[in-house]
Amino acid sequence: MAILNKIKPNVHSAGENLGRSLQRLPEELLMRVLTLACDFDQRDYPSESLRMMLKFSSVNKHFRRVALGSPDVWATVSTYARIELTELFLNWSKCAKLRVEVMPSRSLDAFLDKIIPSTSRWRELSFRVPRETAQKDIMKKSCTGLHLPNLEHLQYSVEAYQGMHCDHSLDHVYLSWTAP
């Protein structure tokens, strides 16, 4: 116990020094460190990366200012996330071009209501047509006639039962879109 009491002030002092050093780190460098730590280069929806960035944003004011001041970090929205997070990410992404993932989910209608007004910002769209008729009807109603002026990448897939031909696509929906 005596040894711990002797080193405790040194550990506390080292932590304070590290904190002060991080406070002085230029914002561009801190943002680079945070994005590398969060691994945003993955192709799938970056839920773990976004969760980690949220944690970093609560470290101190400097980290929060850097994390929230980087719109591209928050520019991925998906039905995989809760609606509250989708709203936050749409706000924090400011005017950044969006990566949008529209997949079958219980909250599909609420998700589409939130993201449809921002179609002019969509840069990437992953659109998976569900098997369920109710989900298809929601997509048909919300996604027909979209104007996507900044769309650069489209991934369109149709869920089908293994070994069965599926002709229940929504081709007429995506064919109604205007995109470059």
Side-chain angles (χ1 to χ4, degrees):
M1 189 68 163
I3 293 174
L4 283 177
N5 288 335
K6 286 182 180 179
I7 65 169
K8 188 175 181 180
N10 293 335
V11 171
H12 183 69
S13 175
E16 286 179 354
N17 289 338
L18 179 60
R20 281 194 293 273
S21 296
L22 289 174
Q23 283 291 95
R24 291 191 301 263
L25 203 58
E27 291 186 4
E28 301 81 25
L29 185 56
L30 179 58
M31 189 63 227
R32 182 72 178 135
V33 168
L34 296 180
T35 54
L36 286 173
C38 293
D39 186 24
F40 278 98
D41 292 332
Q42 56 193 343
R43 200 56 216 147
D44 295 329
Y45 181 69
S47 58
E48 284 304 311
S49 299
L50 291 168
R51 233 180 254 118
M52 193 170 204
M53 187 60 82
L54 281 170
K55 288 178 184 177
F56 281 138
S57 73
S58 64
V59 168
N60 59 36
K61 288 180 185 178
H62 184 54
F63 275 54
R64 184 171 180 76
R65 183 175 57 253
V66 169
L68 297 183
S70 304
D72 290 332
V73 167
W74 310 105
T76 298
V77 292
S78 174
T79 52
Y80 292 130
R82 293 187 337 258
I83 293 300
E84 300 82 15
L85 284 178
T86 298
E87 289 180 75
L88 277 177
F89 296 166
L90 285 171
N91 288 331
W92 290 347
S93 65
K94 298 179 178 139
C95 292
K97 300 294 183 247
L98 298 173
R99 178 179 168 208
V100 178
E101 295 185 345
V102 179
M103 312 293 170
S105 77
R106 287 179 287 149
S107 60
L108 180 63
D109 51 348
F111 176 78
L112 290 171
D113 287 345
K114 293 289 177 204
I115 65 161
I116 292 295
S118 63
T119 56
S120 64
R121 295 174 48 204
W122 296 9
R123 183 186 69 232
E124 293 182 40
L125 173 60
S126 180
F127 191 85
R128 186 178 309 148
V129 179
R131 289 184 288 242
E132 296 82 21
T133 303
Q135 296 265 309
K136 282 186 204 164
D137 290 343
I138 291 169
M139 286 184 165
K140 203 180 300 183
K141 178 181 163 225
S142 297
C143 298
T144 299
L146 296 180
H147 180 63
L148 307 165
N150 291 301
L151 191 67
E152 296 173 9
H153 179 81
L154 171 64
Q155 179 181 353
Y156 178 88
S157 59
V158 179
E159 287 186 352
Y161 294 103
Q162 189 174 2
M164 295 181 70
H165 174 69
C166 181
D167 62 350
H168 302 289
S169 69
L170 293 176
D171 290 351
H172 63 285
V173 171
Y174 88 83
L175 291 172
S176 72
W177 299 344
T178 55

